[in-house]
Amino acid sequence: MGCQASLNYKRTHQRKLEHWKNTIKIKVDKFWNEKTLADVENKSSLTFLNTSNLEPNKPHHVWNVKTTPNDLNYLKAIIKARVMTGTYILQADKYKFTHYNVEATCQLCCSGNEDVIHFLTTCPILSTTREKYFSEIREIITYEITAEKWNNVFKNKTAISQLIVDYKI
Ligand SMILES: [Zn+2]
């Protein structure tokens, strides 16, 4: 094999290798993406995680905070991540984890079980704080997608809770 032929062989081999590596990477990413989405659908603890925001090989958007630890945005990201992954402990969780030795009732209003939906959408004690921000969020999104679409997409408190904790701009 001459020098030029050898060089051409190496280049062709290199291209084939790169193509093969890309093909493998695409297949592996596709597999893990599909497996992750299927796992999320089957886990009730991930109810508030919006799967359309998941991107393979990238950290969840909640971690796109350019702050330092102890900064309020960093602390918000931690709380959101815990709510999304079902590891933010509310009274209803304590009730289950202590085999019913702790009341599930919300300690703020004493009128309902304190789960994520109660905490984010229905607790009357938090309604003033909630409405202040939620009205603004609803207004901005309705302006973008129309009121009709808002009513279709956010038709229940689970969808609204997911919007609050896992909204990507
Ligand atoms: Zn309450």
Side-chain angles (χ1 to χ4, degrees):
M1 196 182 293
C3 200
Q4 189 60 42
S6 174
L7 197 60
N8 287 343
Y9 174 78
K10 276 184 180 172
R11 282 185 185 145
T12 304
H13 180 72
Q14 192 68 30
R15 270 199 303 273
K16 281 182 181 171
L17 188 65
E18 286 301 316
H19 179 73
W20 181 79
K21 281 182 181 175
N22 284 337
T23 304
I24 295 297
K25 185 182 178 327
I26 290 166
K27 298 259 185 212
V28 168
D29 285 352
K30 186 174 182 284
F31 170 82
W32 282 111
N33 198 34
E34 287 171 1
K35 181 167 177 27
T36 303
L37 293 177
D39 285 353
V40 169
E41 296 303 322
N42 292 325
K43 290 191 170 38
S44 61
S45 60
L46 301 176
T47 300
F48 304 105
L49 182 71
N50 184 347
T51 52
S52 61
N53 289 338
L54 295 177
E55 291 179 70
N57 302 319
K58 284 189 177 175
H60 190 274
H61 71 88
V62 78
W63 300 116
N64 291 345
V65 283
K66 291 178 180 69
T67 60
T68 55
N70 300 329
D71 183 293
L72 189 60
N73 287 324
Y74 187 75
L75 298 175
K76 279 188 208 169
I78 292 171
I79 291 170
K80 283 180 170 184
R82 285 184 178 159
V83 173
M84 277 181 240
T85 55
T87 56
Y88 189 80
I89 306 299
L90 293 164
Q91 285 302 121
D93 304 301
K94 288 180 188 169
Y95 176 73
K96 280 185 249 165
F97 296 154
T98 62
H99 300 284
Y100 322 118
N101 289 323
V102 171
E103 287 291 316
T105 310
C106 175
Q107 302 294 292
L108 293 173
C109 67
C110 301
S111 67
N113 286 353
E114 190 195 50
D115 54 17
V116 171
I117 289 173
H118 176 85
F119 179 63
L120 293 176
T121 67
T122 55
C123 182
I125 302 295
L126 300 171
S127 69
T128 311
T129 309
R130 180 173 49 246
E131 275 309 311
K132 184 175 147 196
Y133 296 103
F134 189 68
S135 302
E136 199 177 320
I137 292 169
R138 187 173 42 214
E139 202 174 291
I140 292 167
I141 295 175
T142 303
Y143 180 77
E144 291 293 327
I145 69 170
T146 76
E148 188 189 356
K149 206 165 183 184
W150 167 274
N151 291 334
N152 284 334
V153 176
F154 304 108
K155 56 183 173 263
N156 60 43
K157 290 184 178 4
T158 302
I160 289 170
S161 299
Q162 189 186 74
L163 169 72
I164 292 169
V165 295
D166 194 2
Y167 178 69
K168 186 177 175 186
I169 298 170

